[in-house]
Amino acid sequence: NLLKSKVQSALWYPAFMIVFAIAVVIFLMVSIIPSLGRMFAELGKDLPLPTKIVMGISNVIASYWYVILIIIVFCIYYFNRYKKTEEGRRKIDELKLKLPVVSSLYKKILIHRFTYNLGILLSNRVDVLKSFEIVQRLMRNVLVEENIQKAAKMVQEGSSISNALSKERFLPQYIIGMIAAGEFSDTVDEMFINIGKIYENEIELSINSITSLIEPIIIVCMGFVIGLIVISVLLLIFEMNLIVK
C-alpha cells in the first residue's frame, strides 16, 4: 500500500498537467475561437488556413460534444466490461508487460510484490507451497500468476525454488542467483526480503526517471496545441486589423 501510494503521488502532477491542458484547450476551442470566427465571418472575408483548421475542430466539439461524450462513456464502459473477461484480462496484462517505458516500472513492481511478500511469509514459517499460493493471488497479473503456479508445481515435485523460478523466466538471472545463494546458506526468506527492498529503491528511481521524462513531453505537446490555437487567433486579429485600416 505504501509503495502504491508513492507511485500514485509521483504520477499525480503529470496527470494534473494533462487534465489542465485539456481543459484549457477545450475552453479556447469552445468559447474564444467561435466568437472570433463569427466576428471575422461578418466581415465577409476568408479565414486564414490555420484558423480554418482550428475553427473546424472547434465547430465539431461545440456541435457534437454530446456525441463525443457518449463515445467516451461507451469506450470506458466497454473497456471495463472487456477487462473483466478472461480474454480481456489476459490481453491487458500482456500489454502492461510490453508497453514502452511503463513496462519496466510495472515489472519491477511485480518483482517487488512477489519477492517481498514471499520473504515475509517464509520468515513467518508459512509452508513454501502455501506461500506461493498466497503470493500468486497478490500479483494481479494472469501471466505472472501462471508462471508462479508452474514454479510452485515444480517445487512440489522436489525442485529447488531458484531452479523452479529460473524455468519460468519471470525473474532476472541475477535475482535467481541471489535466491540460490539464499537457499545454499539456508537464509532464503531473508534473501527474498532483501531483494524486495532492493526493488523498492529501484521503483523509486524508475518513478523519478519516468516523471522527469513525461513532464517535458507534456509541455511540448501543450505548447504545440496551444501554440497552434494562439497562431490562428493572432492571424485572425491581424487580418481584422488590415480590414479595419
Side-chain angles (χ1 to χ4, degrees):
N1 289 335
L2 180 60
L3 184 61
K4 184 178 179 180
S5 298
K6 288 181 180 179
V7 174
Q8 289 176 342
S9 298
L11 297 178
W12 170 251
Y13 178 65
F16 172 77
M17 288 182 65
I18 293 172
V19 172
F20 179 76
I22 292 173
V24 170
V25 170
I26 290 174
F27 173 75
L28 292 173
M29 298 289 280
V30 174
S31 300
I32 306 300
I33 300 297
S35 58
L36 289 174
R38 284 192 294 270
M39 290 172 58
F40 196 80
E42 289 173 358
L43 299 174
K45 298 290 183 178
D46 289 333
L47 295 171
L49 180 60
T51 308
K52 284 183 179 179
I53 295 172
V54 174
M55 279 292 297
I57 299 171
S58 175
N59 289 334
V60 170
I61 294 174
S63 302
Y64 301 102
W65 63 268
Y66 54 93
V67 177
I68 297 171
L69 184 61
I70 291 171
I71 291 172
I72 293 172
V73 171
F74 175 78
C75 289
I76 293 172
Y77 172 76
Y78 177 78
F79 176 76
N80 287 330
R81 285 281 302 272
Y82 180 69
K83 73 178 183 179
K84 291 178 181 178
T85 64
E86 185 177 347
E87 179 190 1
R89 186 186 174 195
R90 176 175 289 275
K91 291 291 185 182
I92 292 168
D93 286 348
E94 186 178 354
L95 182 62
K96 289 177 184 177
L97 294 169
K98 292 182 178 180
L99 282 173
V101 183
V102 179
S103 63
S104 176
L105 173 61
Y106 180 64
K107 288 175 183 177
K108 289 177 181 177
I109 292 172
L110 291 176
I111 293 172
H112 169 269
R113 190 179 295 163
F114 172 74
T115 55
Y116 189 76
N117 285 292
L118 187 59
I120 292 294
L121 289 167
L122 293 175
S123 66
N124 284 282
R125 301 294 182 267
V126 179
D127 179 72
V128 175
L129 295 177
K130 187 64 177 178
S131 297
F132 267 80
E133 182 184 338
I134 294 170
V135 172
Q136 180 185 337
R137 292 199 296 265
L138 296 175
M139 300 310 294
R140 294 193 290 276
N141 184 292
V142 66
L143 301 176
V144 177
E145 288 171 12
E146 289 174 356
N147 288 338
I148 295 171
Q149 187 176 26
K150 291 176 183 177
K153 186 177 180 181
M154 290 184 66
V155 172
Q156 187 178 21
E157 293 171 352
S159 175
S160 65
I161 295 175
S162 58
N163 184 57
L165 292 172
S166 67
K167 297 295 182 182
E168 295 308 315
R169 298 182 181 179
F170 161 54
L171 300 173
Q173 196 59 43
Y174 77 94
I175 296 295
I176 299 296
M178 293 175 68
I179 296 169
E183 287 180 305
F184 182 77
S185 60
D186 199 26
T187 57
V188 68
D189 53 343
E190 295 178 12
M191 187 61 73
F192 272 117
I193 292 173
N194 290 334
I195 294 169
K197 290 178 179 177
I198 290 170
Y199 266 83
E200 186 173 351
N201 294 329
E202 287 283 331
I203 289 167
E204 290 186 9
L205 292 173
S206 296
I207 291 170
N208 292 333
S209 299
I210 290 173
T211 51
S212 64
L213 177 67
I214 289 175
E215 288 174 13
I217 293 174
I218 294 172
I219 291 171
V220 169
C221 292
M222 286 172 58
F224 176 78
V225 174
I226 295 176
L228 179 63
I229 295 172
V230 170
I231 289 171
S232 67
V233 171
L234 290 177
L235 286 173
L236 197 58
I237 294 171
F238 181 72
E239 290 287 339
M240 290 177 69
N241 287 337
L242 289 179
I243 292 171
V244 171
K245 291 179 181 179

